[in-house]
C-alpha cells in the first residue's frame, strides 16, 4: 500500500483512475470495431486476430483492476461518497462487459447486443434498488472504527435511510459531538406533525430509531 514518491492518495487515485479509464474506453471501442469489421476468411488469420483480441481484453481487465484498487486506496484515505461508490460500480459494469466480449471473441456466432442490453438494464435496476446511503454510512462507520476519521459534514446530507445505521455510533465511547447534535436536530424535525400524504417509510424508520 506504499505510494509513489511525491504523491498523495488523492493525486494517485484521481490521476491514475482517469488515465486508466480513458485507455479502457479506447481499448473497448477498438475491440468492438475490430470484431465488427475485421475479416476472418483464413483460419490462421482468424486465430491470430482472436489471440490479439483476447490479449487486448485481458490487458484492459488488468487496467480496470488497477483503477479499482486506486479508488479503494482513495476511499480508505478520504471516506465513501456517492460519486466514489458509483465509480466503483461503473468499473464493475465495464469488467462484466469485457468478460462477455471475451466469450464473443471465441464464439463468432454469439451476438453481443442482447447480453449488453440485459447487463445494462440489470446494472441500472441494481443501482436504483440498492440502498447506496446505507452502504455509504456503513462503510464510513467501519472506516471510523478503524482510523478514527469521520466526515460528519458529508454524512449529515445523506437521506433518512442512513440514520438507523449511523445511530449505531452512539454505542461507541468517542461519538463525534456534531453527529450527536445532528441526531437531536433530526429528532426535533421528525417529531413535527405531517399530513398523511407525506408518509415515507424511511422517514418513519428514522423517527422510530431516534425516539428509542
Amino acid at each position: 500500500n506504499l505510494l509513489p514518491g511525491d504523491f498523495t492518495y488523492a493525486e494517485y487515485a484521481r490521476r491514475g483512475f482517469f488515465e486508466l479509464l480513458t485507455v479502457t474506453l479506447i481499448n473497448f471501442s477498438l475491440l468492438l470495431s475490430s470484431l465488427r469489421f475485421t475479416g476472418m476468411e483464413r483460419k490462421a488469420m482468424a486465430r491470430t486476430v482472436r489471440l490479439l483480441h483476447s490479449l487486448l481484453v485481458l490487458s484492459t481487465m488488468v487496467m480496470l483492476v488497477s483503477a479499482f484498487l486506486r479508488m479503494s486506496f482513495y476511499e480508505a484515505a478520504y471516506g465513501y461518497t456517492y460519486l466514489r461508490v458509483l465509480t466503483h460500480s461503473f468499473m464493475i459494469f465495464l469488467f462484466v462487459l469485457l468478460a462477455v466480449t471475451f466469450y464473443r471473441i471465441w464464439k463468432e456466432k454469439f451476438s453481443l447486443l442482447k447480453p449488453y442490453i440485459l447487463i445494462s438494464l440489470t446494472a441500472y435496476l441494481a443501482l436504483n434498488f440498492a440502498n447506496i446511503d446505507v452502504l455509504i454510512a456503513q462503510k464510513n462507520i467501519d472506516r471510523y472504527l478503524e482510523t478514527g476519521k469521520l466526515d460528519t459534514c458529508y454524512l449529515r446530507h445523506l437521506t433518512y435511510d442512513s440514520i438507523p445505521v449511523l445511530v449505531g455510533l452512539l454505542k461507541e465511547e468517542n461519538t463525534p459531538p456534531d453527529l450527536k447534535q445532528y441526531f437531536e436536530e433530526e429528532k426535533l424535525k421528525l417529531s413535527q406533525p405531517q399530513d398523511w400524504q407525506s408518509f415515507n417509510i424511511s422517514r418513519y424508520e428514522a423517527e422510530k430509531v431516534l425516539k428509542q
Side-chain angles (χ1 to χ4, degrees), residues 11-134:
E11 292 169 340
Y12 180 69
R14 285 177 177 275
R15 179 180 174 184
F17 167 74
F18 287 112
E19 288 173 352
L20 291 169
L21 188 61
T22 300
V23 175
T24 297
L25 293 174
I26 292 172
N27 286 357
F28 201 73
S29 302
L30 289 173
L31 179 64
L32 293 179
S33 300
S34 182
L35 285 172
R36 175 68 179 83
F37 298 111
T38 301
M40 296 286 192
E41 289 79 13
R42 293 187 297 172
K43 287 186 178 180
M45 176 63 73
R47 187 171 182 82
T48 302
V49 170
R50 287 193 182 102
L51 287 172
L52 291 172
H53 284 165
S54 300
L55 183 61
L56 183 61
V57 169
L58 294 174
S59 299
T60 306
M61 284 180 166
V62 170
M63 288 190 289
L64 272 177
V65 171
S66 177
F68 191 91
L69 291 174
R70 286 170 184 253
M71 284 302 299
S72 297
F73 291 151
Y74 185 61
E75 287 170 332
Y78 295 101
Y80 296 78
T81 64
Y82 281 113
L83 180 60
R84 294 163 198 170
V85 171
L86 292 176
T87 298
H88 263 142
S89 303
F90 182 65
M91 285 188 280
I92 294 172
F93 171 70
L94 283 180
F95 193 92
V96 174
L97 290 184
L98 283 170
V100 173
T101 308
F102 184 84
Y103 180 79
R104 160 63 180 83
I105 291 171
W106 296 97
K107 296 290 183 181
E108 191 173 344
K109 294 182 179 180
F110 181 74
S111 174
L112 284 175
L113 182 59
K114 289 181 180 178
Y116 277 5
I117 293 174
L118 180 61
I119 292 168
S120 300
L121 287 175
T122 302
Y124 178 76
L125 290 173
L127 283 176
N128 276 276
F129 281 95
N131 203 327
I132 297 179
D133 292 82
V134 172

Side-chain angles (χ1 to χ4, degrees), residues 144 148-153 155-156 166 169-186:
Y144 171 71
K149 299 177 182 178
L150 188 68
D151 187 354
T152 53
C153 182
L155 295 178
R156 290 170 68 104
L166 294 173
L169 281 175
L170 293 175
K171 299 177 183 178
E172 302 298 322
E173 295 181 0
N174 299 319
T175 305
D178 50 345
L179 198 60
K180 291 181 179 179
Q181 181 184 355
Y182 165 66
F183 292 146
E184 291 296 333
E185 292 172 357
E186 289 300 312

